[in-house]
Amino acid sequence: MRILSVGSLLGVSNTCVQRTNAMKNLGHKVDEVNTTAPYSFIDHVINRLFRYHIPVYHRDKTGANKKIIDLVNKNNYDIVWIDKGLTIYPTTLKYIRRKLPNIKIVNYSPDTMSLRHNQSQQYLESIPFYDILFTTKSFMLDDMRKLGAKNIQFVNNAYESTFHYPRTLSTEEKKELGDDVGFVGYWEKKRCKSILYLVDNGIHVKVFGDFKWNKYRNYSPNLTIIPHLLKGEDYAKSFQAFKISLCFLRKMNKDYQTTRTMEIPACGGFMLAERTNEHLSLFDEGKEADFFDDDEELLRKCIYYLQHEDKRKAIAAAGLRRCINSGYSNINNINHMLSIVQSLN
């Protein structure tokens, strides 16, 4: 098929880039329009105003709407695939439909798009003009229908098999990227509380995160804070370098699973994640990953698995096999979604 992929198309570890590459690897001809530009103070102000329900539009700083229209004028696309689409105007989608009446206009987002902090004015106005929306949030289907979605489908998160896979790490990489327990991600109150609970009870933890973690840099000798998020190869290597990789869910997004749900096991890491029904359906508890409900259970399992290396490594290996055998990769997920799109009337 001929596909126009629109989204945040910068960086090898960007999941939008990985989805676009999966389309190419499936043999489709794909053109690209990037929507990402450096974040500025003006963007911050616009976001704040929008969150207070003032109908301001996000800035299209890359000229994505014009680029889409120019490409649609030149090429006969089967699908326009829009990742999130916060800067894409409904007028652009209506133009695409007039120009190519048989085209399928698709929206995909890994975020909870029923919540205001993930939306934009353009996005809200565009929802009714998508033929189908794909979401990794099973709980928000009805909410999105109330916002105008005429067809919305739930899909699981996915890992990128050309990027998320086990490496052979050097001794230096293990030291730099690893620790007994590790977490890569943004600060949130609940996950911070859990990590400090582990640290206070003698567990060595390393965090690669945003600036909000900085206030804890001198909290304890058991806690190492690296004040930046990992990208590229180091991101994938860290899951293997940690003896235990923590998988927290974002409370502000009401997640039941996240991209790390797939990425940690796919990289050969041992995953200890928050227990949810979706996590339990994706990996067998105590066999392919392990889970916790509260800080006490988290601590108990960290102590156990740090003392039982063979068990930990066996679970990590089984988790990797589950990712492969159950088809949790991007290429399988994208192929599944594209088959759904092709079946639409």
Side-chain angles (χ1 to χ4, degrees):
M1 290 187 292
R2 188 78 184 265
I3 300 172
L4 178 57
S5 178
V6 180
S8 181
L9 293 166
L10 298 175
V12 295
S13 57
N14 186 307
T15 60
C16 180
V17 173
Q18 293 166 1
R19 284 185 287 276
T20 300
N21 288 339
M23 295 176 197
K24 295 175 182 177
N25 291 334
L26 286 165
H28 303 294
K29 181 171 177 55
V30 183
D31 295 327
E32 302 176 11
V33 172
N34 173 53
T35 59
T36 297
Y39 193 76
S40 70
F41 177 73
I42 295 175
D43 299 314
H44 174 73
V45 172
I46 290 172
N47 280 334
R48 296 295 294 178
L49 290 172
F50 177 76
R51 290 191 190 187
Y52 283 108
H53 294 269
I54 298 172
V56 291
Y57 291 100
H58 283 48
R59 295 193 299 163
D60 177 11
K61 295 186 289 183
T62 67
N65 287 275
K66 183 180 184 305
K67 291 175 183 176
I68 292 169
I69 290 170
D70 289 345
L71 285 167
V72 166
N73 284 333
K74 296 174 184 176
N75 303 297
N76 187 23
Y77 293 105
D78 299 293
I79 293 173
V80 173
W81 177 287
I82 298 177
D83 247 76
K84 203 160 183 180
L86 295 185
T87 61
I88 306 305
Y89 287 93
T91 52
T92 300
L93 302 187
K94 288 190 279 188
Y95 182 87
I96 295 169
R97 178 74 63 210
R98 288 196 303 271
K99 186 69 179 178
L100 301 171
N102 295 321
I103 201 169
K104 298 296 185 264
I105 306 176
V106 179
N107 183 271
Y108 174 96
S109 179
D111 293 322
T112 308
M113 300 307 294
S114 58
L115 298 178
R116 188 79 178 181
H117 67 268
N118 287 321
Q119 300 167 346
S120 71
Q121 190 64 30
Q122 289 101 308
Y123 178 81
L124 288 175
E125 294 178 6
S126 296
I127 291 172
F129 299 104
Y130 287 107
D131 292 296
I132 188 168
L133 294 89
F134 289 107
T135 175
T136 59
K137 314 300 183 185
S138 60
F139 54 86
M140 72 170 203
L141 302 184
D142 287 340
D143 290 336
M144 291 304 295
R145 292 185 186 108
K146 291 175 184 177
L147 289 173
K150 56 188 178 184
N151 189 353
I152 184 164
Q153 297 279 333
F154 165 71
V155 293
N156 286 314
N157 284 279
Y159 73 95
E160 176 50 52
S161 57
T162 63
F163 180 76
H164 302 111
Y165 60 86
R167 274 81 165 169
T168 299
L169 305 186
S170 67
T171 301
E172 191 172 299
E173 286 174 325
K174 291 178 181 177
K175 182 179 179 181
E176 180 183 348
L177 299 171
D179 209 320
D180 286 348
V181 177
F183 175 68
V184 181
Y186 290 100
W187 183 92
E188 278 193 357
K189 183 176 181 179
K190 177 65 173 65
R191 60 182 57 163
C192 180
K193 175 179 174 290
S194 296
I195 286 173
L196 296 184
Y197 183 82
L198 292 178
V199 168
D200 289 343
N201 283 279
I203 303 296
H204 288 269
V205 182
K206 181 179 284 186
V207 174
F208 291 92
D210 63 316
F211 70 94
K212 290 184 179 180
W213 287 104
N214 278 345
K215 65 182 291 186
Y216 303 97
R217 292 184 75 173
N218 299 315
Y219 180 84
S220 166
N222 291 333
L223 178 62
T224 302
I225 300 293
I226 309 297
H228 64 81
L229 294 166
L230 291 175
K231 296 182 179 180
E233 288 283 308
D234 285 347
Y235 175 79
K237 289 177 179 178
S238 69
F239 298 137
Q240 203 173 343
F242 293 132
K243 294 177 183 177
I244 297 173
S245 286
L246 300 178
C247 180
F248 292 112
L249 301 173
R250 297 205 74 174
K251 299 301 177 285
M252 66 185 300
N253 282 340
K254 304 179 181 179
D255 288 344
Y256 294 152
Q257 58 171 281
T258 181
T259 54
R260 285 172 182 75
T261 300
M262 309 303 191
E263 293 169 352
I264 293 170
C267 289
F270 172 86
M271 181 172 69
L272 185 53
E274 293 185 65
R275 186 182 285 107
T276 67
N277 288 337
E278 288 182 20
H279 273 165
L280 292 170
S281 71
L282 292 165
F283 297 96
D284 287 344
E285 184 169 11
K287 296 179 180 178
E288 297 167 337
D290 217 334
F291 307 105
F292 63 92
D293 279 327
D294 52 38
D295 291 344
E296 290 75 17
E297 186 178 13
L298 171 61
L299 174 63
R300 187 167 66 250
K301 289 194 171 181
C302 282
I303 293 172
Y304 175 82
Y305 284 113
L306 289 174
Q307 293 174 348
H308 294 83
E309 181 179 9
D310 290 345
K311 180 72 171 174
R312 192 177 71 237
K313 288 184 175 181
I315 290 174
L320 173 58
R321 288 194 299 272
R322 178 66 182 268
C323 285
I324 296 169
N325 295 337
S326 292
Y328 294 160
S329 69
N330 256 324
I331 201 160
N332 285 313
N333 215 26
I334 290 293
N335 197 39
H336 169 65
M337 286 187 279
L338 290 180
S339 67
I340 292 174
V341 174
Q342 285 181 286
S343 70
L344 295 176
N345 295 325

